[in-house]
Structures are given as structure tokens and as C-alpha cells.
Amino acid sequence: MRLRRDNRAPEYLAQDERVVLNPESFRGKWHEVFGNNNPIHVEFGCGKGGFITELAKRNPHINYIAAERAETVVYKACKKANLSEETPSNLRFLYFDVSNCKEIFEIGEVERLYLNFSDPWPKTRHANRRLTYRGFLEKYADILKKEGEIHFKTDNKGLFAFSVEEFSASGWLMKNVTLDLHNSGMEDNIMTEYEKKFSELGFTINRLEAVNPRQ
């Protein structure tokens, strides 16, 4: 279902200091935005923002960027972050199409990417729209540092199988692969809003970490 545009979003986002409205101008300069040289971690598809907001709270020594394509989604994520008792200062929000990520980030500028519950685009003809399609992986490999990582979670078994094949075909080293995250013994897992919903419905969560093949 198409997301309905919220007319309150533009004004709200223009006034929020955590929102970067012209991200292309900071390509290669994100450390200036945060005012430090801490590692940069980015979530493509932040949804309501609960996951990355909690990460930012727990890890003040890391700079976090939450990215979404839709302005209205970023608006909702920002509102949720601002309702937090301790709004993290190491968090920024952007909205842009992930296919343009190389226009936003310099080569090797990002240390880690998070892909959580991305749209599975189930029809075969739409495979190239999936965020783990090899065309996207090539771009991620460019913006990630040497040995930078992608942390990927999904409840969709078809998307997970497809993603494993794409990572493998593109030369990424996969580790900590599990088909049942919540029974894997992993500590400190932060659940997204979707993850909580699907888990309560009895779905198992698939997860893996992939290491950048670029040397």
C-alpha cells in the first residue's frame, strides 16, 4: 500500500537539527556534520527509527545515520526519536533513494551498513529492486571501508535465500548466519518494530553479517 504523504513533514524536518536536507553536499565530509572522527554506521530503510535510535543511545562513540526514501517516513522516525527521554546527539536523518548512495557517501566513508526488513519485492521481475541485489552490493562495497560490514535481518525466507546467493556471487564473506536469530544465543540484539511484530506472530528472524570484499 502506498504511503500517504503527511503535509506536516516538510516544516517539521526543516526545523529539526538532526535532519540533513542536502546530504549530497556532505559527501566525504560527514565527520564535519558530527564534529568528530568517530566511525559512521548507516541504516538504509530505518522505518520508525526505533532500532537506530536505540543503537545511538547505547554507542555514543559511533555516529549513526538513518536513511529512508520517503520524507513522511523520516518525519515519523524523527518524531519518535524526539520523544525519547535521552535524544542521542550522534544521530542524523536523511531521505534519499539508496540507489544514489555513492552521491551521498565518499568511497570508504562508512564502516557499517544495516539492512533491516527491507521490502522483499517478491516478483522475479523486480529482483533488481531488492536492497541486497548485486547491483546495490557493488555500491555498498564502494562506500564501505575495507572489511566494513553489512548487517542484514529479515523475516522473509525467500529474500534471505536470494540475499545469501547475491552476497556469495559478489564475493562477500558471510558470518554469524542464522535462520532463527532469537534462538541463536546472540546477545544485545536490538529489535526493530517489524521484528517485534513478526516475532509475536511466530515468524523466525533470519540474520547474517557480510564483510566487504573490496581490498
Side-chain angles (χ1 to χ4, degrees), residues 20-30 32 103-104:
V20 181
L21 298 176
N22 54 336
E24 298 87 353
S25 64
F26 293 103
R27 182 176 184 266
K29 303 176 183 177
W30 285 102
E32 295 180 10
E103 298 175 14
I104 308 298

Side-chain angles (χ1 to χ4, degrees), residues 69-85:
R69 182 171 62 178
E71 178 186 59
T72 295
V73 178
V74 174
Y75 164 62
K76 293 179 183 298
C78 284
K79 285 184 65 177
K80 184 168 184 175
N82 289 333
L83 290 173
S84 173
E85 293 181 1

Side-chain angles (χ1 to χ4, degrees), residues 189-201:
N189 175 56
I190 297 174
M191 288 200 289
T192 72
E193 291 84 359
Y194 278 116
E195 187 172 350
K196 293 176 183 176
K197 175 183 176 180
F198 293 139
S199 296
E200 290 172 358
L201 292 173

Side-chain angles (χ1 to χ4, degrees), residues 17 51 59 74 86 106 119 129 175 183 190 192 211:
E17 61 182 10
F51 171 83
N59 304 288
V74 174
E86 297 180 9
E106 182 60 270
D119 192 331
R129 300 184 186 182
K175 61 181 183 177
N183 289 308
I190 297 174
T192 72
V211 181

